[in-house]
Amino acid sequence: MEESIADRIDHTILRADAREEDVRRCCREARDFHFHSVCVNSCHAALVSKELKGSGVLCCCVVGFPLGAALPEAKALEAKRAVEAGAAEIDMVLNVGALKDGRDDSVREDIRGVVEAARPGIVKVILETCLLSEEEKRRACRLSEEAGAAFVKTSTGFSGGGATIEDVKLMKAAVGGRLKVKASGGIRDPRFARELIDAGADRLGASDGRKLL
């Protein structure tokens, strides 16, 4: 096992039909392989926090997932409750329609609301790159930075697209060293994982992190 890769992986279970036994299994795998976190829907935050206690593996929750189109106050409350239940990291979905409409102030404030509600947890902003032009991706990165996010992230994996080398390079260039980049969606083998890291990805999201080792 290559530990440097393992510590970059958010081991993810976001299926609608995920049962508690599935979530517990993911937590066991994350402990065994020393992944960075287990990423779940917020309803599982308390369970995951309990299962991972003392392991060094973090609880990560998605917010506004997978569409990003919830009311800003709903996203903020979901983030707050997830952190109260033990989440250390929040992956929120950007409001794609608002970005495309050019409503930058709304997008920025939507992100900022989650950032403030999630403290002391950190926030990653999911851009859903497969739906965006290059200009929109750069603008989303800028707005995420202005709102105080810690990461920008490529994809939910629920919109027909996933991480690409090109998107990771574009996002890394857009944020410089000021934010980190998470690649997610369609990462299923060690070669692609290493290529994404070489392109600038600081973190990887995968439904089976074991396959990346």
Side-chain angles (χ1 to χ4, degrees):
M1 178 180 66
E2 191 167 348
E3 190 171 355
S4 62
I5 294 286
D7 190 50
R8 293 175 184 257
I9 294 172
D10 291 342
H11 195 42
T12 302
I13 180 163
L14 297 170
R15 302 192 321 265
D17 63 347
R19 302 173 64 180
E20 287 193 357
E21 63 189 74
D22 301 317
V23 175
R24 288 193 178 94
R25 173 183 49 76
C26 277
C27 290
R28 288 195 300 272
E29 292 167 354
R31 292 196 306 266
D32 290 346
F33 289 91
H34 307 288
F35 294 138
H36 188 89
S37 78
V38 171
C39 186
V40 293
N41 286 292
S42 57
C43 66
H44 297 303
L47 173 63
V48 169
S49 298
K50 179 180 177 182
E51 291 290 314
L52 296 177
K53 186 175 181 180
S55 69
V57 181
L58 302 180
C59 173
C60 172
C61 285
V62 293
V63 162
F65 193 87
L67 302 178
L71 290 168
E73 52 265 39
K75 288 183 179 177
L77 180 60
E78 185 179 16
K80 183 175 188 293
R81 293 288 185 258
V83 170
E84 289 172 348
E89 299 186 353
I90 298 294
D91 288 17
M92 70 164 290
V93 187
L94 173 144
N95 188 321
V96 176
L99 183 77
K100 287 184 167 293
D101 280 340
R103 293 186 279 125
D104 288 9
D105 289 346
S106 295
V107 174
R108 186 188 303 107
E109 291 311 306
D110 183 40
I111 299 168
R112 181 174 287 135
V114 172
V115 168
E116 293 175 352
R119 291 192 177 111
I122 70 165
V123 172
K124 312 184 198 90
V125 181
I126 306 172
L127 309 189
E128 204 65 292
T129 50
C130 67
L131 303 180
L132 304 178
S133 67
E134 289 193 1
E135 184 276 331
E136 288 166 342
K137 293 169 194 174
R138 293 189 183 94
R139 188 152 45 90
C141 287
R142 174 176 57 80
L143 294 170
S144 298
E145 179 180 353
E146 292 172 356
F151 278 76
V152 285
K153 174 179 169 181
T154 60
S155 320
T156 64
F158 282 70
S159 288
T164 69
I165 302 298
E166 294 75 19
D167 280 340
V168 169
K169 287 181 177 179
L170 182 154
M171 293 162 66
K172 194 69 173 181
V175 300
R178 301 178 300 278
L179 273 68
K180 294 182 178 181
V181 174
K182 177 176 173 179
S184 185
I187 309 172
R188 299 187 179 93
D189 64 75
R191 178 195 58 78
F192 188 38
R194 175 51 66 184
E195 289 175 352
L196 289 165
I197 290 170
D198 290 344
D202 302 283
R203 194 81 61 81
L204 306 173
S207 58
D208 191 346
R210 299 169 300 174
K211 292 181 178 179
L212 310 189
L213 302 178

